[in-house]
Amino acid sequence: MIQAAILTGDLISSTAKRASDLDAAMQTLSAGAQEISQWSGSQNHFTRARGDGWQLDVTPPERALRAALYLTARLRAADLGLASRIAIGFGAITTLGSGTLADGHGEAFVTSGQRLDSMRRGEILAVAGAGISPLHRALVLMMSERVSRWTREQAEALLAVLPPDALTHSALAEQLGISAQAVGYRLSGAAAAEFRESLRLWESAA
């Protein structure tokens, strides 16, 4: 058995969008998944399912919440008019499948899928599975409310500070072509420092 984390997501209000919009959103999420793979040097498997659904395995599993936030920011920064709900499921995995996650099996898959199905209207992030306490769920619930209010500019800045090897503010300012003060405003408005500290504590306790 592999102890792992599976993210299961679907695009919100996708029926009102063109197929080309959905494809662009999925390509954005897939690119984000490749960037997440570079954090640890492990190849994660992003798999599209049911048109507007998708799954991703995250290694190491303690970075699953960081990955979910990164994908949320990636999609918002792309400014496609689409967001995704994301359910994080922790647990054992019997197999990741043959090439894609479409035929993957195990507790993490089941837990993640079931949690996605039970998410309430307006929820962006949710978590369930082995080792998850009410305090974990409370933290993710609070994050879910906050990320729903990220602007495109805030999400763009967060993409540089959410990875484990985050850019410095000065490097980020140079990359975005704005002042360090403007970077500070964007990150402050997105509660970047609070997110980073919460993620540090989450991962150190895993």
Side-chain angles (χ1 to χ4, degrees), residues 120-135:
R120 299 189 302 272
R121 184 179 180 84
E123 268 190 294
I124 301 295
L125 303 172
V127 64
I132 295 302
S133 71
L135 289 178

Side-chain angles (χ1 to χ4, degrees), residues 4-8 64 87-91 107-109 111-113 115 126-130:
I6 296 293
L7 308 187
T8 302
I88 307 167
F90 291 101
E107 179 187 6
F109 283 100
T111 299
S112 182
R115 186 64 186 91
V127 64

Side-chain angles (χ1 to χ4, degrees), residues 149-185:
R149 295 187 280 118
W150 281 346
T151 66
R152 180 188 64 79
E153 292 80 10
Q154 289 171 347
E156 186 178 49
L158 281 162
L159 287 174
V161 301
L162 284 173
D165 54 346
L167 293 178
T168 63
H169 283 201
S170 58
L172 176 56
E174 183 176 351
Q175 177 179 292
L176 295 177
I178 59 178
S179 69
Q181 185 179 34
V183 166
Y185 283 141

